[in-house]
Amino acid sequence: MNRTGPFWDAVEGRRPIPRAAATLGAEVVVYDEVAVRIEMAFVATEDFTNPMGEVLGGFLAAMLFDTVGPALLASLGPDEFQETLDLTCSFLRPTRPGRIVGTGRVVARVDDFAFLDATLTDADGVTVATGTATARVIPLDARG
């Protein structure tokens, strides 16, 4: 299927991916249109670490943000966008630099509001962080 809109245009290489996503090494692994679920991969570099060599929670929060957002964005029409209203993160265990996989989904959508969740797992498949978010679907031309 030829999908269009800001999200799919970036995924398909018709426009550059957002710089923040590029910094995180973000890539879409798979999108399940029926389950409204996305799998993202990130590359946590040494630049993301604290003095203990662990990935800072702020970078994990950014990865969660870049997982819940695309879960919703991938499901929208080409003239729609989303604005995140809140994001709650739980950091379950420390993680080291390397590949981190985010799985996000749209839990429910009521009118223009969407309720989202995500998990991040390390290279061993261990869950290192979880998050929930609320977003509002807006017309693409309403971005301020």
Side-chain angles (χ1 to χ4, degrees), residues 17-29 40-45 48 59 62-63 66 98-102:
I17 68 170
R19 291 171 60 184
T23 297
L24 297 172
E27 69 171 284
V28 175
V29 176
M40 302 286 298
F42 303 95
V43 179
T45 69
F48 296 5
F59 284 101
M63 292 175 195
D66 262 3
R99 182 179 170 92
I100 295 178
V101 175

Side-chain angles (χ1 to χ4, degrees), residues 118-143:
T119 60
L120 296 179
T121 57
D122 66 13
D124 296 324
V126 176
T127 301
V128 298
T130 62
T132 60
T134 308
R136 185 171 66 129
V137 177
I138 60 171
L140 185 60
D141 61 4
R143 294 175 304 130

Side-chain angles (χ1 to χ4, degrees), residues 3 6-13 17-18 21-22 24-33 37-43 66-75 99-104:
R3 303 174 192 164
F7 175 78
W8 288 111
D9 289 350
V11 169
E12 299 293 331
I17 68 170
L24 297 172
E27 69 171 284
V28 175
V29 176
V30 66
Y31 174 66
D32 182 336
E33 189 172 347
R37 179 184 166 281
I38 198 163
E39 187 174 302
M40 302 286 298
F42 303 95
V43 179
D66 262 3
T67 301
V68 294
L72 178 58
L73 286 169
S75 72
R99 182 179 170 92
I100 295 178
V101 175
T103 303

